[in-house]
Structures are given as structure tokens and as C-alpha cells.
Amino acid sequence: MPADSSPAEQPLSFTERTEWAERADHAARSVTRNFGRRLLFLPGTHLGAVSIPAKAARSVFGPWHYWWQAHYVDCLVDAGRRELSTQTKFDGDSRPSAGRLASRLVTTIRLRNLFRFENHFYDDMAWLALSTLRLEKLAEETRNPGRRRNAYVRRKLTLQFDSASTEDLGGGTFWSTQRDFKNTPATAPVALYFARTDHRERAQSLVNWLNSKLFHAERGVYQDGLRIKNGETVLEESIYTYNQGPILGALLELGGQENLERAEHLVESVARELTVPGTRVVHGDGTGDGGLFTGILVRYLALAARDHRLQETTRRTARALVHATAEAFWLTRREAPELMRGKGSVPLIFSPNPLRPASGTYPAGAAVELSTQLQAWMTFEAAASM
């Protein structure tokens, strides 16, 4: 062990991995039991409420955030993979497995989305495509039903990505069907999806476009996008945590010396640019959609932490970022006995900001958003995966 390495920078021991798995299970139970709802009381359906406490009518007539549900699927797949390795359900034998809930959720997304998987935003569809691709692999390993439906999702959404990834503005993927903005939030997850479905040339082309058009050379991270405004191209310079995650994943999935070197530099840049000063904690991005941003980045940092093609210094940095952020979310949690329904462990509420106590950001009686709770859950899953 290097003399200057902190415990957070070292690979987790079996005991530590078990502890993080238990924390991930606790977060999973808190989300599935408190946010999980049937759609119109239909048996066999499952959807995450946008916030709690929630009124049943809002799940049908109110906003429901397609892409939040896609990340809910991803979190359930994470839990399902742990169930597969331990042969123990995250919520007990009397309740559905994580994989079963994920399958119900994908089906219900289609029902709630007016019997379609297509959406106005290509980045939303990319997140669902990525999560259902992982679910399909989990179904294959567990020999559970749903593989035909997951393959259908992939066929339908691949057509959408083919349509959105054009030569306008030199390449990249449009953000929405309005087709006036090509950005990292859409291009990066589509590139990762193409890489994971053996369309490697298309994936590399999108990565090359991001490198040439949106990479901030001085800061070492990716900017938001290029917008077509009044016939001119305008650079949106904002830098968001979650944008760095899927491009990191695409670089790792594609491999090769140049991509892996870029991945190494990106991890180090994230540690320098996107953490709370004086810590290894990736900063939070608030509530709403921003309530997912930190967790998405941490998910892909965990991939880097486990990738032996990267230099050990990079992997150590990635481990430290994942562990420190997950530890911060756990330490700032609060118990929520007011949400208990029946017997079992007391539900937990996690703060949108990993370093601010949930007792302040989400005091008893406050509306709690699904995005922020998925964020903490996926961060714990990332820690458990190391």
C-alpha cells in the first residue's frame, strides 16, 4: 500500500463490500416501498412516484419524468445482480425480486407513456435503452421472462438514435425531436449504447465529436452542447457532473490506448473540478433532474475503479471519489419513521447534497423527490460493486 494512500483509495474488503451491499439494500427498500406504486391499481404494474407524499391522481395525470424511471430500472438491475450473486432477495422472500420489479417497471413505463417507448427527448430514451440492455442480460442469466420485450425496446429505440445522430453540426446526437441542440447529455449515453450493442464505429464517431466540439481542454471535462439559434451555432458552456459519466463509460467500453488515456485524464479532472473543495466528495446538483446528476457520475466512476486497464493511480482516485461520496450520503441520512407502512426496517431519507444533513434538506413533512433517493441508492450500489 502506498504510504500516502488513504483507506478510501484502497479496494474494499469483503466486510466493507458486504456493509455497502446492506446499505444499498436499505436504500432499495426505502425507495421501492415508499415510492413504488401500481399504475391505476393495475396488478403487475410498478412505477416510481415523482415525490412523496403523493396523490394517486398525480401518477396518471401529473408529471412523471420518464428518465427518472429509466434510472430506477438501472438501480433495480444493480440490486438484481447482487441478488444473483448472493441468492438472497433484497426485500425478503415474500416480496418480488429486484429483477422482477425492474421488468414490471419497464412494462409500466410503456403503459404510462401512452403505449410507446419513444419519447420527445433522445437522452431520456438512451437512459432507458441502457437500463433495459442491462436488464436483458440479467434476465438471460436468471432465465426469467422479459427478454423478448427488452429486445423490442432495443429495436425501437435504436431507430430513434439512428435518426438523431446526424452530420448536422459535424456529428453528435440531437437532444430532442425539436432538433436544434446537440449535446453531451444525449450524445454520450447514445455513444455508450452503440458501444455496448456492437456498433463500435458509430460509437467512436460520437465520442470523437464530443472530443472535438465539447471538450474543455483547460478543465479537462465536457461542456453541455451546441445549440442552433437564429441560424448560428452557440456553445452552451455549462459543465455538469452527470455529463462526464456516460462519456467515461463509452471511453472504457470502446477501449484502445487513446480512449483509455482520455478516461484516465477525465477521472483526474473530475476529482479536481467537480468535487467539494478539500474533499473527494462529488458535489451535489440540487433537486429535480439535478437530483440524479451526482449518482450518475459515481456509477461510471465505479466502472473506472474496477478497470484494470487503467493506471492504478487513476483507479485509486476513482475508488476514493466513489467511496467518499457514498460515505457522505450515508452519514447525512435521516430515519423516516413517519413513512413506515407495516413491519420492517425504518425507511431512510437521503439528502440531495451529500454533505448536507437530510434532516435539513428533507425534514419530516417535506415532499421528497424520487430523483434524489435514486441518486443515493445508485451511489451505494457503486460502492458495493468495488
Side-chain angles (χ1 to χ4, degrees):
M1 180 187 303
D4 60 346
S5 296
S6 69
E9 294 174 326
Q10 302 310 309
L12 298 182
S13 67
F14 174 78
T15 300
E16 289 170 321
R17 287 198 303 273
T18 300
E19 182 177 25
W20 279 115
E22 291 173 351
R23 292 174 176 181
D25 279 345
H26 206 148
R29 289 191 294 270
S30 294
V31 170
T32 57
R33 291 188 185 187
N34 292 290
F35 288 86
R37 300 283 191 277
R38 287 180 175 181
L39 180 65
L40 290 174
F41 304 101
L42 293 172
T45 59
H46 185 83
L47 198 69
V50 171
S51 64
I52 56 172
K55 295 181 180 179
R58 284 180 61 84
S59 67
V60 179
F61 303 109
W64 69 288
H65 301 295
Y66 177 112
W67 85 290
W68 295 12
Q69 308 295 330
H71 286 286
Y72 188 9
V73 174
D74 242 343
C75 287
L76 285 166
V77 172
D78 288 336
R81 299 211 63 81
R82 289 189 295 100
E83 287 182 333
L84 186 61
S85 65
T86 62
Q87 296 299 303
T88 303
K89 291 184 178 180
F90 81 97
D91 202 10
D93 291 338
S94 65
R95 293 175 179 266
S97 68
R100 178 71 66 182
L101 277 181
S103 183
R104 291 179 183 177
L105 177 55
V106 173
T107 297
T108 311
I109 287 172
R110 179 174 177 270
L111 294 176
R112 177 62 178 80
N113 202 48
L114 304 178
F115 298 93
R116 304 170 71 245
F117 285 113
E118 296 87 348
N119 183 274
H120 181 58
F121 295 96
Y122 294 106
D123 57 335
D124 289 15
M125 290 185 277
W127 293 119
L128 184 63
L130 287 168
S131 62
T132 52
L133 183 63
R134 295 183 66 226
L135 178 59
E136 183 177 357
K137 292 182 178 179
L138 178 63
E140 289 173 357
E141 293 180 40
T142 58
R143 299 180 181 178
N144 282 331
R147 285 175 289 177
R148 182 177 299 177
R149 189 241 9 249
N150 296 333
Y152 172 78
V153 176
R154 181 165 69 176
R155 288 195 303 272
K156 295 292 285 186
L157 296 188
T158 298
L159 293 174
Q160 296 295 313
F161 306 145
D162 289 342
S163 170
S165 302
T166 69
E167 290 305 311
D168 300 272
L169 301 179
T173 303
F174 282 113
W175 179 52
S176 74
T177 54
Q178 193 168 340
R179 292 175 172 260
D180 62 352
F181 190 30
K182 284 192 169 180
N183 62 5
T184 305
T187 305
V190 168
L192 177 57
Y193 173 77
F194 279 147
R196 287 181 173 175
T197 53
D198 296 323
H199 296 87
R200 297 180 63 82
E201 289 187 7
R202 300 205 68 185
Q204 189 64 62
S205 176
L206 293 177
V207 167
N208 292 345
W209 183 82
L210 288 168
N211 292 338
S212 64
K213 301 293 186 180
L214 296 179
F215 183 70
H216 193 296
E218 288 74 25
R219 299 186 65 181
V221 289
Y222 292 83
Q223 299 169 100
D224 196 43
L226 295 177
R227 190 179 299 277
I228 301 172
K229 196 171 184 178
N230 298 324
E232 297 184 356
T233 302
V234 178
L235 173 64
E236 299 286 351
E237 299 180 347
S238 301
I239 292 173
Y240 298 108
T241 50
Y242 83 124
N243 280 347
Q244 319 311 315
I247 182 60
L248 175 59
L251 292 168
L252 296 174
E253 191 72 34
L254 289 167
Q257 182 177 352
E258 182 178 347
N259 286 329
L260 293 178
E261 287 179 355
R262 281 188 175 275
E264 290 174 341
H265 292 313
L266 182 56
V267 170
E268 299 302 331
S269 297
V270 165
R272 183 183 65 250
E273 299 286 335
L274 301 177
T275 54
V276 177
T279 76
R280 289 292 202 180
V281 177
V282 178
H283 70 70
D285 282 289
T287 56
D289 286 344
L292 280 166
F293 287 6
T294 299
I296 291 170
L297 173 54
V298 171
R299 172 185 292 283
Y300 292 98
L301 286 170
L303 294 182
R306 303 195 304 269
D307 196 319
H308 290 274
R309 296 171 300 172
L310 303 181
Q311 296 183 59
E312 175 56 29
T313 52
T314 300
R315 292 164 55 208
R316 190 161 60 238
T317 298
R319 285 196 296 269
L321 292 168
V322 173
H323 184 263
T325 307
E327 189 69 28
F329 275 123
W330 184 256
L331 291 176
T332 56
R333 74 194 187 281
R334 77 167 178 88
E335 292 189 340
E338 73 276 9
L339 298 179
M340 284 197 70
R341 294 184 293 177
K343 297 180 180 179
S345 55
V346 177
L348 299 179
I349 295 296
F350 301 97
S351 178
N353 184 327
L355 291 176
R356 289 189 61 196
S359 58
T361 57
Y362 283 138
V368 180
E369 290 187 301
L370 173 65
S371 58
T372 60
Q373 304 311 289
L374 292 175
Q375 172 173 257
W377 177 7
M378 74 176 73
T379 302
F380 303 146
E381 295 286 0
S385 74
M386 297 194 303

